[in-house]
Amino acid sequence: MSIKLKQVFSGERLMEIHALYETAFPAGEKKPFSMIISGQETGLVEILSAEENDTFLGLAIMAKSGDRVLLDYFAIASERRGQGTGSAVLQALKERYQGMRIIIEIESTKCVDEEELVIRTRRKSFYLRNGFTMLSYYVDLWGTEMEMLSNGLPCPYEEYLDIYTTAFGTQVSDRIHFWGKHRLQLSSDSTRKRFSKNYGSISQNVHRGML
């Protein structure tokens, strides 16, 4: 699979990205799309189209500060899910941001609802299988508890929060709070084995969005 990531500023492709953005993520986790576009105009946000042979596969919206980049939103078009597209796009993102610390937020797997727990665990397993590792803390992101991952590089909470402050301002970052540290830090291998035992081999292609 030959994936290309193209930064999009206008036109029909931006409309496709906006449409997928509106349908893929919960209302409480979405910023106004105009805020994302404004962030891109400053050079601190990138709206990326994942494509193969000029066919739209999905979106990645990245927020940057220094040597850190946050995968703020990640979604694969519904017709391309379950085909390894999500993993291929993640690999392309790692190549694009080589040498940078890539940070990811996922909804906490300390969920009590069984059905929601399975969805969240699949999402976590997807990122672990693709080489991301757990950071040692949780955050409260606008009232939702999030677990934190990176591409194997450390990122303290203060440096993570600075990405939001830099890219979107304090009106966003002031609504994010340190939740606490993990009691036990598991390696990606041990975590993956536990998830594989409980849930089997699972493919997940959407970041903080629908499966």
PDB file of all heavy atoms in Angstrom, residues 161-195:
ATOM      1  N   LEU A 161       1.033  19.551  27.303  1.00  0.00           N
ATOM      2  CA  LEU A 161       0.080  20.649  27.425  1.00  0.00           C
ATOM      3  C   LEU A 161       0.515  21.851  26.595  1.00  0.00           C
ATOM      4  O   LEU A 161      -0.321  22.563  26.013  1.00  0.00           O
ATOM      5  CB  LEU A 161      -0.076  21.048  28.889  1.00  0.00           C
ATOM      6  CG  LEU A 161      -1.158  22.091  29.201  1.00  0.00           C
ATOM      7  CD1 LEU A 161      -2.553  21.548  28.858  1.00  0.00           C
ATOM      8  CD2 LEU A 161      -1.093  22.506  30.669  1.00  0.00           C
ATOM      9  N   ASP A 162       1.808  22.059  26.496  1.00  0.00           N
ATOM     10  CA  ASP A 162       2.331  23.187  25.732  1.00  0.00           C
ATOM     11  C   ASP A 162       1.963  23.103  24.254  1.00  0.00           C
ATOM     12  O   ASP A 162       1.851  24.143  23.582  1.00  0.00           O
ATOM     13  CB  ASP A 162       3.856  23.252  25.890  1.00  0.00           C
ATOM     14  CG  ASP A 162       4.469  24.373  25.073  1.00  0.00           C
ATOM     15  OD1 ASP A 162       4.208  25.543  25.391  1.00  0.00           O
ATOM     16  OD2 ASP A 162       5.197  24.068  24.100  1.00  0.00           O
ATOM     17  N   ILE A 163       1.752  21.895  23.732  1.00  0.00           N
ATOM     18  CA  ILE A 163       1.338  21.766  22.334  1.00  0.00           C
ATOM     19  C   ILE A 163      -0.001  22.472  22.135  1.00  0.00           C
ATOM     20  O   ILE A 163      -0.192  23.234  21.173  1.00  0.00           O
ATOM     21  CB  ILE A 163       1.228  20.286  21.921  1.00  0.00           C
ATOM     22  CG1 ILE A 163       2.559  19.560  22.105  1.00  0.00           C
ATOM     23  CG2 ILE A 163       0.760  20.176  20.457  1.00  0.00           C
ATOM     24  CD1 ILE A 163       2.476  18.060  21.872  1.00  0.00           C
ATOM     25  N   TYR A 164      -0.943  22.237  23.040  1.00  0.00           N
ATOM     26  CA  TYR A 164      -2.263  22.872  22.940  1.00  0.00           C
ATOM     27  C   TYR A 164      -2.158  24.384  23.100  1.00  0.00           C
ATOM     28  O   TYR A 164      -2.793  25.144  22.350  1.00  0.00           O
ATOM     29  CB  TYR A 164      -3.198  22.304  23.993  1.00  0.00           C
ATOM     30  CG  TYR A 164      -3.891  21.036  23.585  1.00  0.00           C
ATOM     31  CD1 TYR A 164      -3.494  19.810  24.096  1.00  0.00           C
ATOM     32  CD2 TYR A 164      -4.960  21.054  22.683  1.00  0.00           C
ATOM     33  CE1 TYR A 164      -4.126  18.635  23.723  1.00  0.00           C
ATOM     34  CE2 TYR A 164      -5.599  19.885  22.314  1.00  0.00           C
ATOM     35  CZ  TYR A 164      -5.181  18.682  22.831  1.00  0.00           C
ATOM     36  OH  TYR A 164      -5.814  17.528  22.451  1.00  0.00           O
ATOM     37  N   THR A 165      -1.362  24.816  24.087  1.00  0.00           N
ATOM     38  CA  THR A 165      -1.225  26.254  24.316  1.00  0.00           C
ATOM     39  C   THR A 165      -0.628  26.937  23.092  1.00  0.00           C
ATOM     40  O   THR A 165      -1.094  27.999  22.662  1.00  0.00           O
ATOM     41  CB  THR A 165      -0.340  26.518  25.541  1.00  0.00           C
ATOM     42  OG1 THR A 165      -0.891  25.840  26.679  1.00  0.00           O
ATOM     43  CG2 THR A 165      -0.248  28.000  25.846  1.00  0.00           C
ATOM     44  N   THR A 166       0.387  26.318  22.510  1.00  0.00           N
ATOM     45  CA  THR A 166       1.058  26.902  21.355  1.00  0.00           C
ATOM     46  C   THR A 166       0.156  26.916  20.130  1.00  0.00           C
ATOM     47  O   THR A 166       0.067  27.927  19.418  1.00  0.00           O
ATOM     48  CB  THR A 166       2.347  26.119  21.040  1.00  0.00           C
ATOM     49  OG1 THR A 166       3.210  26.166  22.190  1.00  0.00           O
ATOM     50  CG2 THR A 166       3.071  26.702  19.843  1.00  0.00           C
ATOM     51  N   ALA A 167      -0.524  25.798  19.869  1.00  0.00           N
ATOM     52  CA  ALA A 167      -1.291  25.660  18.628  1.00  0.00           C
ATOM     53  C   ALA A 167      -2.670  26.307  18.698  1.00  0.00           C
ATOM     54  O   ALA A 167      -3.155  26.856  17.695  1.00  0.00           O
ATOM     55  CB  ALA A 167      -1.425  24.187  18.259  1.00  0.00           C
ATOM     56  N   PHE A 168      -3.313  26.263  19.880  1.00  0.00           N
ATOM     57  CA  PHE A 168      -4.708  26.692  19.967  1.00  0.00           C
ATOM     58  C   PHE A 168      -4.972  27.778  21.012  1.00  0.00           C
ATOM     59  O   PHE A 168      -6.080  28.317  21.068  1.00  0.00           O
ATOM     60  CB  PHE A 168      -5.611  25.498  20.255  1.00  0.00           C
ATOM     61  CG  PHE A 168      -5.565  24.431  19.201  1.00  0.00           C
ATOM     62  CD1 PHE A 168      -4.987  23.203  19.465  1.00  0.00           C
ATOM     63  CD2 PHE A 168      -6.080  24.657  17.936  1.00  0.00           C
ATOM     64  CE1 PHE A 168      -4.941  22.206  18.491  1.00  0.00           C
ATOM     65  CE2 PHE A 168      -6.038  23.674  16.951  1.00  0.00           C
ATOM     66  CZ  PHE A 168      -5.460  22.447  17.231  1.00  0.00           C
ATOM     67  N   GLY A 169      -3.991  28.047  21.872  1.00  0.00           N
ATOM     68  CA  GLY A 169      -4.173  29.083  22.876  1.00  0.00           C
ATOM     69  C   GLY A 169      -4.701  28.549  24.191  1.00  0.00           C
ATOM     70  O   GLY A 169      -5.119  27.390  24.311  1.00  0.00           O
ATOM     71  N   THR A 170      -4.717  29.410  25.193  1.00  0.00           N
ATOM     72  CA  THR A 170      -5.116  28.993  26.532  1.00  0.00           C
ATOM     73  C   THR A 170      -6.610  28.707  26.636  1.00  0.00           C
ATOM     74  O   THR A 170      -7.038  28.017  27.570  1.00  0.00           O
ATOM     75  CB  THR A 170      -4.747  30.066  27.563  1.00  0.00           C
ATOM     76  OG1 THR A 170      -5.318  31.321  27.162  1.00  0.00           O
ATOM     77  CG2 THR A 170      -3.227  30.219  27.664  1.00  0.00           C
ATOM     78  N   GLN A 171      -7.427  29.202  25.689  1.00  0.00           N
ATOM     79  CA  GLN A 171      -8.857  28.892  25.740  1.00  0.00           C
ATOM     80  C   GLN A 171      -9.104  27.395  25.577  1.00  0.00           C
ATOM     81  O   GLN A 171     -10.142  26.881  25.989  1.00  0.00           O
ATOM     82  CB  GLN A 171      -9.647  29.676  24.676  1.00  0.00           C
ATOM     83  CG  GLN A 171      -9.432  29.227  23.242  1.00  0.00           C
ATOM     84  CD  GLN A 171      -8.296  29.951  22.556  1.00  0.00           C
ATOM     85  OE1 GLN A 171      -7.347  30.369  23.199  1.00  0.00           O
ATOM     86  NE2 GLN A 171      -8.406  30.111  21.248  1.00  0.00           N
ATOM     87  N   VAL A 172      -8.148  26.693  24.980  1.00  0.00           N
ATOM     88  CA  VAL A 172      -8.220  25.237  24.860  1.00  0.00           C
ATOM     89  C   VAL A 172      -7.418  24.568  25.967  1.00  0.00           C
ATOM     90  O   VAL A 172      -7.906  23.680  26.661  1.00  0.00           O
ATOM     91  CB  VAL A 172      -7.722  24.772  23.473  1.00  0.00           C
ATOM     92  CG1 VAL A 172      -7.630  23.253  23.415  1.00  0.00           C
ATOM     93  CG2 VAL A 172      -8.658  25.277  22.384  1.00  0.00           C
ATOM     94  N   SER A 173      -6.168  24.979  26.155  1.00  0.00           N
ATOM     95  CA  SER A 173      -5.295  24.288  27.112  1.00  0.00           C
ATOM     96  C   SER A 173      -5.752  24.445  28.556  1.00  0.00           C
ATOM     97  O   SER A 173      -5.486  23.573  29.390  1.00  0.00           O
ATOM     98  CB  SER A 173      -3.848  24.774  26.964  1.00  0.00           C
ATOM     99  OG  SER A 173      -3.736  26.149  27.264  1.00  0.00           O
ATOM    100  N   ASP A 174      -6.461  25.523  28.878  1.00  0.00           N
ATOM    101  CA  ASP A 174      -6.939  25.702  30.254  1.00  0.00           C
ATOM    102  C   ASP A 174      -8.008  24.687  30.638  1.00  0.00           C
ATOM    103  O   ASP A 174      -8.322  24.533  31.827  1.00  0.00           O
ATOM    104  CB  ASP A 174      -7.495  27.121  30.443  1.00  0.00           C
ATOM    105  CG  ASP A 174      -6.396  28.159  30.607  1.00  0.00           C
ATOM    106  OD1 ASP A 174      -5.222  27.765  30.715  1.00  0.00           O
ATOM    107  OD2 ASP A 174      -6.721  29.360  30.623  1.00  0.00           O
ATOM    108  N   ARG A 175      -8.572  23.994  29.649  1.00  0.00           N
ATOM    109  CA  ARG A 175      -9.601  22.981  29.920  1.00  0.00           C
ATOM    110  C   ARG A 175      -9.011  21.577  30.001  1.00  0.00           C
ATOM    111  O   ARG A 175      -9.746  20.589  30.058  1.00  0.00           O
ATOM    112  CB  ARG A 175     -10.669  23.044  28.832  1.00  0.00           C
ATOM    113  CG  ARG A 175     -11.418  24.372  28.774  1.00  0.00           C
ATOM    114  CD  ARG A 175     -12.285  24.466  27.550  1.00  0.00           C
ATOM    115  NE  ARG A 175     -13.263  23.392  27.488  1.00  0.00           N
ATOM    116  CZ  ARG A 175     -13.888  23.008  26.374  1.00  0.00           C
ATOM    117  NH1 ARG A 175     -13.617  23.610  25.221  1.00  0.00           N
ATOM    118  NH2 ARG A 175     -14.767  22.030  26.403  1.00  0.00           N
ATOM    119  N   ILE A 176      -7.688  21.476  30.005  1.00  0.00           N
ATOM    120  CA  ILE A 176      -6.988  20.191  30.099  1.00  0.00           C
ATOM    121  C   ILE A 176      -6.245  20.151  31.421  1.00  0.00           C
ATOM    122  O   ILE A 176      -5.586  21.118  31.797  1.00  0.00           O
ATOM    123  CB  ILE A 176      -6.009  20.024  28.920  1.00  0.00           C
ATOM    124  CG1 ILE A 176      -6.755  20.127  27.588  1.00  0.00           C
ATOM    125  CG2 ILE A 176      -5.273  18.685  29.013  1.00  0.00           C
ATOM    126  CD1 ILE A 176      -5.849  20.218  26.381  1.00  0.00           C
ATOM    127  N   HIS A 177      -6.351  19.020  32.130  1.00  0.00           N
ATOM    128  CA  HIS A 177      -5.755  18.928  33.459  1.00  0.00           C
ATOM    129  C   HIS A 177      -5.057  17.589  33.643  1.00  0.00           C
ATOM    130  O   HIS A 177      -5.471  16.564  33.070  1.00  0.00           O
ATOM    131  CB  HIS A 177      -6.824  19.101  34.540  1.00  0.00           C
ATOM    132  CG  HIS A 177      -7.636  20.350  34.371  1.00  0.00           C
ATOM    133  ND1 HIS A 177      -7.165  21.606  34.706  1.00  0.00           N
ATOM    134  CD2 HIS A 177      -8.892  20.539  33.883  1.00  0.00           C
ATOM    135  CE1 HIS A 177      -8.082  22.509  34.438  1.00  0.00           C
ATOM    136  NE2 HIS A 177      -9.147  21.895  33.946  1.00  0.00           N
ATOM    137  N   PHE A 178      -4.018  17.612  34.454  1.00  0.00           N
ATOM    138  CA  PHE A 178      -3.316  16.384  34.838  1.00  0.00           C
ATOM    139  C   PHE A 178      -4.242  15.530  35.689  1.00  0.00           C
ATOM    140  O   PHE A 178      -4.819  16.008  36.657  1.00  0.00           O
ATOM    141  CB  PHE A 178      -2.051  16.745  35.623  1.00  0.00           C
ATOM    142  CG  PHE A 178      -1.238  15.569  36.056  1.00  0.00           C
ATOM    143  CD1 PHE A 178      -0.364  14.952  35.176  1.00  0.00           C
ATOM    144  CD2 PHE A 178      -1.323  15.086  37.348  1.00  0.00           C
ATOM    145  CE1 PHE A 178       0.410  13.861  35.569  1.00  0.00           C
ATOM    146  CE2 PHE A 178      -0.562  14.007  37.762  1.00  0.00           C
ATOM    147  CZ  PHE A 178       0.301  13.391  36.863  1.00  0.00           C
ATOM    148  N   TRP A 179      -4.424  14.260  35.310  1.00  0.00           N
ATOM    149  CA  TRP A 179      -5.356  13.386  36.022  1.00  0.00           C
ATOM    150  C   TRP A 179      -4.637  12.512  37.036  1.00  0.00           C
ATOM    151  O   TRP A 179      -5.123  12.251  38.120  1.00  0.00           O
ATOM    152  CB  TRP A 179      -6.097  12.511  35.011  1.00  0.00           C
ATOM    153  CG  TRP A 179      -7.285  11.785  35.582  1.00  0.00           C
ATOM    154  CD1 TRP A 179      -7.265  10.661  36.358  1.00  0.00           C
ATOM    155  CD2 TRP A 179      -8.659  12.131  35.425  1.00  0.00           C
ATOM    156  NE1 TRP A 179      -8.542  10.277  36.690  1.00  0.00           N
ATOM    157  CE2 TRP A 179      -9.424  11.167  36.126  1.00  0.00           C
ATOM    158  CE3 TRP A 179      -9.331  13.138  34.746  1.00  0.00           C
ATOM    159  CZ2 TRP A 179     -10.814  11.191  36.168  1.00  0.00           C
ATOM    160  CZ3 TRP A 179     -10.711  13.170  34.785  1.00  0.00           C
ATOM    161  CH2 TRP A 179     -11.436  12.205  35.494  1.00  0.00           C
ATOM    162  N   GLY A 180      -3.451  12.038  36.698  1.00  0.00           N
ATOM    163  CA  GLY A 180      -2.705  11.177  37.607  1.00  0.00           C
ATOM    164  C   GLY A 180      -1.774  10.271  36.840  1.00  0.00           C
ATOM    165  O   GLY A 180      -1.757  10.252  35.611  1.00  0.00           O
ATOM    166  N   LYS A 181      -0.980   9.514  37.574  1.00  0.00           N
ATOM    167  CA  LYS A 181      -0.025   8.598  36.966  1.00  0.00           C
ATOM    168  C   LYS A 181      -0.557   7.180  36.991  1.00  0.00           C
ATOM    169  O   LYS A 181      -1.365   6.818  37.849  1.00  0.00           O
ATOM    170  CB  LYS A 181       1.324   8.663  37.698  1.00  0.00           C
ATOM    171  CG  LYS A 181       2.114   9.937  37.411  1.00  0.00           C
ATOM    172  CD  LYS A 181       3.483   9.862  38.037  1.00  0.00           C
ATOM    173  CE  LYS A 181       4.339  11.052  37.600  1.00  0.00           C
ATOM    174  NZ  LYS A 181       4.727  10.962  36.182  1.00  0.00           N
ATOM    175  N   HIS A 182      -0.089   6.371  36.031  1.00  0.00           N
ATOM    176  CA  HIS A 182      -0.415   4.953  36.040  1.00  0.00           C
ATOM    177  C   HIS A 182       0.190   4.305  37.277  1.00  0.00           C
ATOM    178  O   HIS A 182       1.332   4.601  37.649  1.00  0.00           O
ATOM    179  CB  HIS A 182       0.161   4.258  34.800  1.00  0.00           C
ATOM    180  CG  HIS A 182      -0.521   4.635  33.532  1.00  0.00           C
ATOM    181  ND1 HIS A 182      -1.771   4.170  33.186  1.00  0.00           N
ATOM    182  CD2 HIS A 182      -0.120   5.435  32.508  1.00  0.00           C
ATOM    183  CE1 HIS A 182      -2.103   4.676  32.010  1.00  0.00           C
ATOM    184  NE2 HIS A 182      -1.137   5.441  31.580  1.00  0.00           N
ATOM    185  N   ARG A 183      -0.553   3.394  37.870  1.00  0.00           N
ATOM    186  CA  ARG A 183       0.012   2.633  38.989  1.00  0.00           C
ATOM    187  C   ARG A 183       1.062   1.655  38.490  1.00  0.00           C
ATOM    188  O   ARG A 183       2.025   1.343  39.176  1.00  0.00           O
ATOM    189  CB  ARG A 183      -1.093   1.861  39.731  1.00  0.00           C
ATOM    190  CG  ARG A 183      -2.048   2.767  40.483  1.00  0.00           C
ATOM    191  CD  ARG A 183      -3.070   1.949  41.259  1.00  0.00           C
ATOM    192  NE  ARG A 183      -3.980   2.807  42.003  1.00  0.00           N
ATOM    193  CZ  ARG A 183      -4.975   2.351  42.747  1.00  0.00           C
ATOM    194  NH1 ARG A 183      -5.193   1.053  42.858  1.00  0.00           N
ATOM    195  NH2 ARG A 183      -5.766   3.199  43.375  1.00  0.00           N
ATOM    196  N   LEU A 184       0.841   1.143  37.281  1.00  0.00           N
ATOM    197  CA  LEU A 184       1.770   0.164  36.728  1.00  0.00           C
ATOM    198  C   LEU A 184       1.968   0.492  35.263  1.00  0.00           C
ATOM    199  O   LEU A 184       1.016   0.566  34.500  1.00  0.00           O
ATOM    200  CB  LEU A 184       1.214  -1.264  36.865  1.00  0.00           C
ATOM    201  CG  LEU A 184       2.051  -2.397  36.256  1.00  0.00           C
ATOM    202  CD1 LEU A 184       3.396  -2.478  36.982  1.00  0.00           C
ATOM    203  CD2 LEU A 184       1.312  -3.727  36.361  1.00  0.00           C
ATOM    204  N   GLN A 185       3.226   0.685  34.853  1.00  0.00           N
ATOM    205  CA  GLN A 185       3.548   0.970  33.461  1.00  0.00           C
ATOM    206  C   GLN A 185       3.859  -0.350  32.779  1.00  0.00           C
ATOM    207  O   GLN A 185       4.831  -1.025  33.094  1.00  0.00           O
ATOM    208  CB  GLN A 185       4.756   1.902  33.376  1.00  0.00           C
ATOM    209  CG  GLN A 185       5.211   2.189  31.962  1.00  0.00           C
ATOM    210  CD  GLN A 185       4.661   3.484  31.440  1.00  0.00           C
ATOM    211  OE1 GLN A 185       4.140   4.282  32.193  1.00  0.00           O
ATOM    212  NE2 GLN A 185       4.794   3.704  30.149  1.00  0.00           N
ATOM    213  N   LEU A 186       3.022  -0.757  31.830  1.00  0.00           N
ATOM    214  CA  LEU A 186       3.245  -1.995  31.104  1.00  0.00           C
ATOM    215  C   LEU A 186       3.954  -1.697  29.800  1.00  0.00           C
ATOM    216  O   LEU A 186       3.697  -0.705  29.147  1.00  0.00           O
ATOM    217  CB  LEU A 186       1.904  -2.687  30.804  1.00  0.00           C
ATOM    218  CG  LEU A 186       1.115  -3.186  32.006  1.00  0.00           C
ATOM    219  CD1 LEU A 186      -0.229  -3.730  31.531  1.00  0.00           C
ATOM    220  CD2 LEU A 186       1.865  -4.269  32.753  1.00  0.00           C
ATOM    221  N   SER A 187       4.840  -2.606  29.407  1.00  0.00           N
ATOM    222  CA  SER A 187       5.457  -2.462  28.094  1.00  0.00           C
ATOM    223  C   SER A 187       4.439  -2.751  27.022  1.00  0.00           C
ATOM    224  O   SER A 187       3.419  -3.392  27.254  1.00  0.00           O
ATOM    225  CB  SER A 187       6.624  -3.452  27.954  1.00  0.00           C
ATOM    226  OG  SER A 187       6.130  -4.774  27.864  1.00  0.00           O
ATOM    227  N   SER A 188       4.708  -2.289  25.797  1.00  0.00           N
ATOM    228  CA  SER A 188       3.770  -2.531  24.709  1.00  0.00           C
ATOM    229  C   SER A 188       3.611  -4.021  24.464  1.00  0.00           C
ATOM    230  O   SER A 188       2.532  -4.496  24.149  1.00  0.00           O
ATOM    231  CB  SER A 188       4.235  -1.825  23.433  1.00  0.00           C
ATOM    232  OG  SER A 188       5.513  -2.280  23.049  1.00  0.00           O
ATOM    233  N   ASP A 189       4.697  -4.813  24.626  1.00  0.00           N
ATOM    234  CA  ASP A 189       4.612  -6.249  24.375  1.00  0.00           C
ATOM    235  C   ASP A 189       3.715  -6.934  25.388  1.00  0.00           C
ATOM    236  O   ASP A 189       2.850  -7.738  25.038  1.00  0.00           O
ATOM    237  CB  ASP A 189       6.012  -6.876  24.425  1.00  0.00           C
ATOM    238  CG  ASP A 189       6.831  -6.554  23.187  1.00  0.00           C
ATOM    239  OD1 ASP A 189       6.217  -6.184  22.166  1.00  0.00           O
ATOM    240  OD2 ASP A 189       8.062  -6.677  23.241  1.00  0.00           O
ATOM    241  N   SER A 190       3.908  -6.630  26.689  1.00  0.00           N
ATOM    242  CA  SER A 190       3.106  -7.299  27.703  1.00  0.00           C
ATOM    243  C   SER A 190       1.658  -6.883  27.619  1.00  0.00           C
ATOM    244  O   SER A 190       0.743  -7.673  27.824  1.00  0.00           O
ATOM    245  CB  SER A 190       3.665  -7.015  29.104  1.00  0.00           C
ATOM    246  OG  SER A 190       3.620  -5.637  29.379  1.00  0.00           O
ATOM    247  N   THR A 191       1.416  -5.598  27.323  1.00  0.00           N
ATOM    248  CA  THR A 191       0.045  -5.126  27.174  1.00  0.00           C
ATOM    249  C   THR A 191      -0.616  -5.790  25.986  1.00  0.00           C
ATOM    250  O   THR A 191      -1.766  -6.219  26.051  1.00  0.00           O
ATOM    251  CB  THR A 191       0.031  -3.600  26.992  1.00  0.00           C
ATOM    252  OG1 THR A 191       0.749  -3.000  28.061  1.00  0.00           O
ATOM    253  CG2 THR A 191      -1.382  -3.068  26.986  1.00  0.00           C
ATOM    254  N   ARG A 192       0.112  -5.893  24.888  1.00  0.00           N
ATOM    255  CA  ARG A 192      -0.442  -6.491  23.684  1.00  0.00           C
ATOM    256  C   ARG A 192      -0.817  -7.953  23.916  1.00  0.00           C
ATOM    257  O   ARG A 192      -1.849  -8.430  23.444  1.00  0.00           O
ATOM    258  CB  ARG A 192       0.586  -6.371  22.548  1.00  0.00           C
ATOM    259  CG  ARG A 192       0.054  -6.772  21.208  1.00  0.00           C
ATOM    260  CD  ARG A 192       1.117  -6.680  20.129  1.00  0.00           C
ATOM    261  NE  ARG A 192       1.679  -5.347  20.067  1.00  0.00           N
ATOM    262  CZ  ARG A 192       2.953  -5.058  20.355  1.00  0.00           C
ATOM    263  NH1 ARG A 192       3.783  -6.021  20.722  1.00  0.00           N
ATOM    264  NH2 ARG A 192       3.385  -3.823  20.264  1.00  0.00           N
ATOM    265  N   LYS A 193       0.033  -8.684  24.641  1.00  0.00           N
ATOM    266  CA  LYS A 193      -0.261 -10.085  24.906  1.00  0.00           C
ATOM    267  C   LYS A 193      -1.531 -10.236  25.736  1.00  0.00           C
ATOM    268  O   LYS A 193      -2.346 -11.114  25.497  1.00  0.00           O
ATOM    269  CB  LYS A 193       0.929 -10.728  25.631  1.00  0.00           C
ATOM    270  CG  LYS A 193       2.132 -10.937  24.720  1.00  0.00           C
ATOM    271  CD  LYS A 193       3.312 -11.505  25.507  1.00  0.00           C
ATOM    272  CE  LYS A 193       4.527 -11.675  24.615  1.00  0.00           C
ATOM    273  NZ  LYS A 193       5.701 -12.171  25.379  1.00  0.00           N
ATOM    274  N   ARG A 194      -1.698  -9.360  26.725  1.00  0.00           N
ATOM    275  CA  ARG A 194      -2.892  -9.431  27.564  1.00  0.00           C
ATOM    276  C   ARG A 194      -4.138  -9.136  26.751  1.00  0.00           C
ATOM    277  O   ARG A 194      -5.138  -9.825  26.849  1.00  0.00           O
ATOM    278  CB  ARG A 194      -2.773  -8.437  28.718  1.00  0.00           C
ATOM    279  CG  ARG A 194      -3.892  -8.585  29.745  1.00  0.00           C
ATOM    280  CD  ARG A 194      -3.808  -7.507  30.795  1.00  0.00           C
ATOM    281  NE  ARG A 194      -4.141  -6.217  30.214  1.00  0.00           N
ATOM    282  CZ  ARG A 194      -3.989  -5.067  30.877  1.00  0.00           C
ATOM    283  NH1 ARG A 194      -3.470  -5.051  32.077  1.00  0.00           N
ATOM    284  NH2 ARG A 194      -4.329  -3.932  30.294  1.00  0.00           N
ATOM    285  N   PHE A 195      -4.084  -8.094  25.897  1.00  0.00           N
ATOM    286  CA  PHE A 195      -5.231  -7.749  25.078  1.00  0.00           C
ATOM    287  C   PHE A 195      -5.529  -8.844  24.068  1.00  0.00           C
ATOM    288  O   PHE A 195      -6.672  -9.156  23.787  1.00  0.00           O
ATOM    289  CB  PHE A 195      -4.985  -6.430  24.346  1.00  0.00           C
ATOM    290  CG  PHE A 195      -5.002  -5.246  25.256  1.00  0.00           C
ATOM    291  CD1 PHE A 195      -4.379  -4.069  24.878  1.00  0.00           C
ATOM    292  CD2 PHE A 195      -5.625  -5.304  26.488  1.00  0.00           C
ATOM    293  CE1 PHE A 195      -4.393  -2.964  25.715  1.00  0.00           C
ATOM    294  CE2 PHE A 195      -5.639  -4.208  27.330  1.00  0.00           C
ATOM    295  CZ  PHE A 195      -5.018  -3.035  26.942  1.00  0.00           C
TER     296      PHE A 195
END
